[in-house]
Tab-separated table of all heavy atoms in Angstrom:
chain	number	residue	atom	x	y	z
A	136	LYS	N	38.579	-35.654	110.144
A	136	LYS	CA	39.418	-35.956	109.001
A	136	LYS	C	39.720	-34.739	108.136
A	136	LYS	O	40.693	-34.683	107.417
A	136	LYS	CB	38.753	-36.986	108.078
A	136	LYS	CG	38.515	-38.352	108.725
A	136	LYS	CD	39.769	-38.968	109.362
A	136	LYS	CE	40.811	-39.303	108.285
A	136	LYS	NZ	42.059	-39.860	108.869
A	137	VAL	N	38.833	-33.722	108.222
A	137	VAL	CA	38.955	-32.533	107.402
A	137	VAL	C	38.687	-31.309	108.225
A	137	VAL	O	37.652	-31.179	108.856
A	137	VAL	CB	37.996	-32.535	106.196
A	137	VAL	CG1	38.211	-31.247	105.314
A	137	VAL	CG2	38.229	-33.793	105.307
A	138	ALA	N	39.634	-30.352	108.252
A	138	ALA	CA	39.487	-29.012	108.862
A	138	ALA	C	39.232	-28.033	107.715
A	138	ALA	O	40.138	-27.884	106.915
A	138	ALA	CB	40.702	-28.672	109.664
A	139	VAL	N	38.036	-27.453	107.656
A	139	VAL	CA	37.788	-26.520	106.559
A	139	VAL	C	38.002	-25.088	107.187
A	139	VAL	O	37.242	-24.673	108.048
A	139	VAL	CB	36.298	-26.648	106.089
A	139	VAL	CG1	36.133	-25.677	104.897
A	139	VAL	CG2	35.999	-28.087	105.674
A	140	VAL	N	39.046	-24.445	106.707
A	140	VAL	CA	39.454	-23.164	107.318
A	140	VAL	C	39.124	-21.991	106.369
A	140	VAL	O	39.408	-22.072	105.135
A	140	VAL	CB	40.991	-23.171	107.562
A	140	VAL	CG1	41.396	-21.814	108.186
A	140	VAL	CG2	41.345	-24.315	108.535
A	141	ALA	N	38.497	-20.967	106.901
A	141	ALA	CA	38.234	-19.754	106.100
A	141	ALA	C	39.548	-19.047	105.785
A	141	ALA	O	40.263	-18.694	106.719
A	141	ALA	CB	37.253	-18.803	106.905
A	142	GLY	N	39.824	-18.939	104.545
A	142	GLY	CA	41.041	-18.237	104.072
A	142	GLY	C	40.963	-16.756	104.252
A	142	GLY	O	39.921	-16.196	104.640
A	143	PHE	N	42.109	-16.075	104.012
A	143	PHE	CA	42.072	-14.631	103.790
A	143	PHE	C	42.006	-13.818	105.127
A	143	PHE	O	41.942	-12.614	105.156
A	143	PHE	CB	40.916	-14.304	102.871
A	143	PHE	CG	40.557	-12.820	102.648
A	143	PHE	CD1	41.460	-11.972	102.039
A	143	PHE	CD2	39.310	-12.314	102.982
A	143	PHE	CE1	41.132	-10.632	101.754
A	143	PHE	CE2	38.956	-10.970	102.705
A	143	PHE	CZ	39.856	-10.177	102.156
A	144	GLN	N	41.827	-14.531	106.271
A	144	GLN	CA	41.555	-13.820	107.521
A	144	GLN	C	42.394	-14.354	108.634
A	144	GLN	O	42.924	-15.476	108.627
A	144	GLN	CB	40.040	-14.046	107.878
A	144	GLN	CG	39.669	-15.458	108.058
A	144	GLN	CD	38.227	-15.599	108.463
A	144	GLN	OE1	37.914	-15.899	109.618
A	144	GLN	NE2	37.294	-15.385	107.512
A	145	GLY	N	42.429	-13.522	109.702
A	145	GLY	CA	43.102	-13.862	110.902
A	145	GLY	C	42.620	-13.025	112.068
A	145	GLY	O	41.567	-12.424	112.029
A	146	ILE	N	43.459	-12.994	113.111
A	146	ILE	CA	43.137	-12.171	114.333
A	146	ILE	C	44.374	-11.465	114.810
A	146	ILE	O	45.388	-12.099	114.933
A	146	ILE	CB	42.426	-13.054	115.390
A	146	ILE	CG1	41.942	-12.153	116.579
A	146	ILE	CG2	43.433	-14.137	115.880
A	146	ILE	CD1	41.037	-12.909	117.499
A	147	ALA	N	44.235	-10.223	115.134
A	147	ALA	CA	45.379	-9.430	115.655
A	147	ALA	C	45.462	-9.608	117.140
A	147	ALA	O	44.557	-10.173	117.778
A	147	ALA	CB	45.194	-7.959	115.249
A	148	ALA	N	46.514	-9.108	117.740
A	148	ALA	CA	46.707	-9.282	119.180
A	148	ALA	C	45.625	-8.554	119.992
A	148	ALA	O	45.355	-8.992	121.151
A	148	ALA	CB	48.076	-8.707	119.559
A	149	ASP	N	45.011	-7.563	119.396
A	149	ASP	CA	43.927	-6.874	120.157
A	149	ASP	C	42.584	-7.569	120.008
A	149	ASP	O	41.581	-7.068	120.490
A	149	ASP	CB	43.821	-5.397	119.621
A	149	ASP	CG	43.419	-5.300	118.219
A	149	ASP	OD1	43.252	-6.307	117.512
A	149	ASP	OD2	43.392	-4.126	117.737
A	150	GLY	N	42.544	-8.703	119.378
A	150	GLY	CA	41.313	-9.487	119.270
A	150	GLY	C	40.446	-9.098	118.107
A	150	GLY	O	39.355	-9.703	117.884
A	151	ARG	N	40.884	-8.133	117.245
A	151	ARG	CA	40.118	-7.735	116.063
A	151	ARG	C	40.367	-8.669	114.873
A	151	ARG	O	41.513	-9.037	114.664
A	151	ARG	CB	40.352	-6.297	115.708
A	151	ARG	CG	39.941	-5.222	116.726
A	151	ARG	CD	38.520	-5.259	117.077
A	151	ARG	NE	37.600	-4.981	115.941
A	151	ARG	CZ	36.949	-3.796	115.801
A	151	ARG	NH1	37.110	-2.861	116.671
A	151	ARG	NH2	36.162	-3.669	114.780
A	152	ILE	N	39.316	-8.930	114.069
A	152	ILE	CA	39.433	-9.687	112.834
A	152	ILE	C	40.267	-8.886	111.891
A	152	ILE	O	40.102	-7.709	111.742
A	152	ILE	CB	38.073	-9.973	112.263
A	152	ILE	CG1	37.222	-10.728	113.228
A	152	ILE	CG2	38.198	-10.716	110.937
A	152	ILE	CD1	37.743	-12.172	113.588
A	153	THR	N	41.154	-9.572	111.138
A	153	THR	CA	42.006	-8.921	110.100
A	153	THR	C	41.844	-9.662	108.807
A	153	THR	O	41.466	-10.882	108.778
A	153	THR	CB	43.487	-8.905	110.440
A	153	THR	OG1	43.947	-10.282	110.728
A	153	THR	CG2	43.801	-8.124	111.727
A	154	THR	N	42.154	-8.999	107.721
A	154	THR	CA	42.165	-9.695	106.389
A	154	THR	C	43.547	-9.471	105.775
A	154	THR	O	44.267	-8.444	106.101
A	154	THR	CB	41.085	-9.283	105.439
A	154	THR	OG1	41.188	-7.870	105.131
A	154	THR	CG2	39.719	-9.535	106.017
A	155	LEU	N	43.934	-10.417	104.851
A	155	LEU	CA	45.321	-10.351	104.347
A	155	LEU	C	45.464	-9.674	102.994
A	155	LEU	O	46.523	-9.732	102.386
A	155	LEU	CB	45.757	-11.832	104.198
A	155	LEU	CG	45.586	-12.745	105.362
A	155	LEU	CD1	46.064	-14.164	105.026
A	155	LEU	CD2	46.292	-12.186	106.579
A	156	GLY	N	44.402	-9.088	102.438
A	156	GLY	CA	44.569	-8.450	101.154
A	156	GLY	C	44.110	-9.443	100.058
A	156	GLY	O	43.990	-10.592	100.352
A	157	ARG	N	43.817	-8.879	98.894
A	157	ARG	CA	43.303	-9.701	97.796
A	157	ARG	C	44.252	-10.852	97.451
A	157	ARG	O	45.517	-10.702	97.435
A	157	ARG	CB	43.098	-8.790	96.552
A	157	ARG	CG	41.839	-7.905	96.619
A	157	ARG	CD	40.642	-8.859	96.979
A	157	ARG	NE	39.393	-8.119	97.110
A	157	ARG	CZ	38.483	-7.938	96.145
A	157	ARG	NH1	38.632	-8.457	94.937
A	157	ARG	NH2	37.354	-7.268	96.357
A	158	GLY	N	43.643	-12.004	97.247
A	158	GLY	CA	44.493	-13.182	96.984
A	158	GLY	C	44.984	-13.822	98.257
A	158	GLY	O	45.845	-14.730	98.226
A	159	GLY	N	44.617	-13.327	99.416
A	159	GLY	CA	45.172	-13.777	100.655
A	159	GLY	C	44.905	-15.200	101.045
A	159	GLY	O	45.618	-15.801	101.881
A	160	SER	N	43.937	-15.885	100.348
A	160	SER	CA	43.629	-17.270	100.635
A	160	SER	C	44.759	-18.120	100.178
A	160	SER	O	45.053	-19.228	100.758
A	160	SER	CB	42.309	-17.693	100.022
A	160	SER	OG	41.208	-17.121	100.635
A	161	ASP	N	45.446	-17.772	99.053
A	161	ASP	CA	46.630	-18.524	98.668
A	161	ASP	C	47.689	-18.468	99.693
A	161	ASP	O	48.285	-19.493	100.032
A	161	ASP	CB	47.242	-17.840	97.356
A	161	ASP	CG	46.438	-18.198	96.092
A	161	ASP	OD1	45.541	-19.029	96.169
A	161	ASP	OD2	46.761	-17.666	95.051
A	162	THR	N	47.940	-17.314	100.328
A	162	THR	CA	48.912	-17.182	101.376
A	162	THR	C	48.528	-17.999	102.573
A	162	THR	O	49.374	-18.655	103.207
A	162	THR	CB	49.067	-15.671	101.751
A	162	THR	OG1	49.461	-14.936	100.582
A	162	THR	CG2	50.068	-15.501	102.823
A	163	THR	N	47.217	-17.926	102.948
A	163	THR	CA	46.705	-18.785	104.033
A	163	THR	C	47.069	-20.210	103.822
A	163	THR	O	47.566	-20.898	104.682
A	163	THR	CB	45.152	-18.593	104.213
A	163	THR	OG1	44.862	-17.235	104.375
A	163	THR	CG2	44.670	-19.367	105.423
A	164	ALA	N	46.766	-20.704	102.602
A	164	ALA	CA	47.004	-22.128	102.315
A	164	ALA	C	48.509	-22.502	102.434
A	164	ALA	O	48.842	-23.526	103.097
A	164	ALA	CB	46.532	-22.451	100.922
A	165	VAL	N	49.383	-21.725	101.926
A	165	VAL	CA	50.833	-22.019	101.962
A	165	VAL	C	51.300	-21.941	103.434
A	165	VAL	O	52.050	-22.742	103.920
A	165	VAL	CB	51.626	-21.061	101.097
A	165	VAL	CG1	53.117	-21.264	101.328
A	165	VAL	CG2	51.294	-21.261	99.623
A	166	ALA	N	50.812	-20.968	104.226
A	166	ALA	CA	51.177	-20.816	105.616
A	166	ALA	C	50.665	-22.032	106.368
A	166	ALA	O	51.446	-22.515	107.305
A	166	ALA	CB	50.551	-19.526	106.180
A	167	PHE	N	49.570	-22.516	106.168
A	167	PHE	CA	49.052	-23.748	106.868
A	167	PHE	C	49.956	-24.928	106.483
A	167	PHE	O	50.270	-25.772	107.328
A	167	PHE	CB	47.619	-23.972	106.558
A	167	PHE	CG	46.643	-23.397	107.538
A	167	PHE	CD1	46.309	-22.032	107.452
A	167	PHE	CD2	46.142	-24.120	108.600
A	167	PHE	CE1	45.461	-21.447	108.388
A	167	PHE	CE2	45.264	-23.540	109.515
A	167	PHE	CZ	44.943	-22.164	109.351
A	168	ALA	N	50.286	-25.064	105.230
A	168	ALA	CA	51.083	-26.162	104.823
A	168	ALA	C	52.421	-26.147	105.451
A	168	ALA	O	52.958	-27.149	105.917
A	168	ALA	CB	51.282	-26.121	103.236
A	169	ALA	N	52.997	-24.929	105.593
A	169	ALA	CA	54.291	-24.810	106.319
A	169	ALA	C	54.150	-25.096	107.824
A	169	ALA	O	55.002	-25.825	108.370
A	169	ALA	CB	54.854	-23.383	106.109
A	170	ALA	N	53.123	-24.550	108.410
A	170	ALA	CA	52.924	-24.734	109.817
A	170	ALA	C	52.684	-26.224	110.233
A	170	ALA	O	53.196	-26.709	111.279
A	170	ALA	CB	51.779	-23.922	110.322
A	171	PHE	N	51.955	-26.959	109.429
A	171	PHE	CA	51.578	-28.321	109.710
A	171	PHE	C	52.485	-29.369	109.052
A	171	PHE	O	52.258	-30.578	109.188
A	171	PHE	CB	50.130	-28.604	109.300
A	171	PHE	CG	49.158	-28.007	110.281
A	171	PHE	CD1	48.749	-26.655	110.138
A	171	PHE	CD2	48.518	-28.777	111.272
A	171	PHE	CE1	47.857	-26.125	111.037
A	171	PHE	CE2	47.606	-28.240	112.116
A	171	PHE	CZ	47.281	-26.846	112.005
Side-chain angles (χ1 to χ4, degrees):
K136 299 303 297 179
V137 181
V139 186
V140 180
F143 174 63
Q144 62 177 253
I146 185 167
D149 63 0
R151 296 301 298 253
I152 300 297
T153 57
T154 62
L155 309 180
R157 283 306 177 97
S160 292
D161 283 353
T162 302
T163 304
V165 175
F167 268 82
F171 284 82

